[in-house]
Amino acid sequence: MVIEKRQADGVFVEVHGIELSGDERERLFSGLSYLQNEAPSDATSRLVISNSDDGCELRLVIRSVALGFEVEVLGANFGEAFEGVLGTCGRQLQMWQEERWSTLQ
């Protein structure tokens, strides 16, 4: 199953072996939209969600001219794994912004 959502411009989401509830889908796209807004303006993102024997695995890749990184998180369920992605990615984007603004001053 592949999901693409207009509100998460620039983000491609691929889901394997797991069905997300309506609330999980809403949280997914609102969180991805937030991350995309914090990323450089030319950034594109790809999130792969897969279910394994160990839990739910999420892999987020963000690429732009200024920034490129990957985050992989394994959680007991989707919510736990996605919170890990949001926290890790959010911190990385915050550090990038702080560094960017400090060099412009």
Side-chain angles (χ1 to χ4, degrees):
M1 168 180 12
V2 175
I3 303 172
E4 202 163 352
K5 181 93 169 180
R6 288 185 308 272
Q7 287 97 334
D9 291 342
V11 180
F12 180 76
V13 179
E14 196 174 323
V15 181
H16 301 278
I18 187 172
E19 284 294 323
L20 301 178
S21 71
D23 288 343
E24 288 172 329
R25 290 168 76 99
E26 184 63 33
R27 177 71 177 127
L28 170 70
F29 289 114
S30 105
L32 290 176
S33 183
Y34 166 77
L35 293 176
Q36 191 68 16
N37 286 334
E38 296 298 309
S41 59
D42 67 334
T44 58
S45 304
R46 179 181 186 97
L47 176 69
V48 177
I49 303 169
S50 58
N51 205 17
S52 71
D53 292 337
D54 297 326
C56 186
E57 183 177 348
L58 277 69
R59 181 170 185 254
L60 176 66
V61 177
I62 296 178
R63 296 278 182 251
S64 81
V65 171
L67 173 74
F69 63 91
E70 298 181 24
V71 176
E72 288 188 58
V73 176
L74 178 66
N77 56 49
F78 170 78
E80 182 180 297
F82 192 59
E83 287 303 314
V85 166
L86 288 177
T88 301
C89 186
R91 281 190 300 279
Q92 290 177 351
L93 289 169
Q94 183 180 27
M95 289 186 319
W96 167 76
Q97 289 176 349
E98 288 170 0
E99 182 180 311
R100 179 177 168 232
W101 291 115
S102 70
T103 60
L104 292 176
Q105 295 177 353

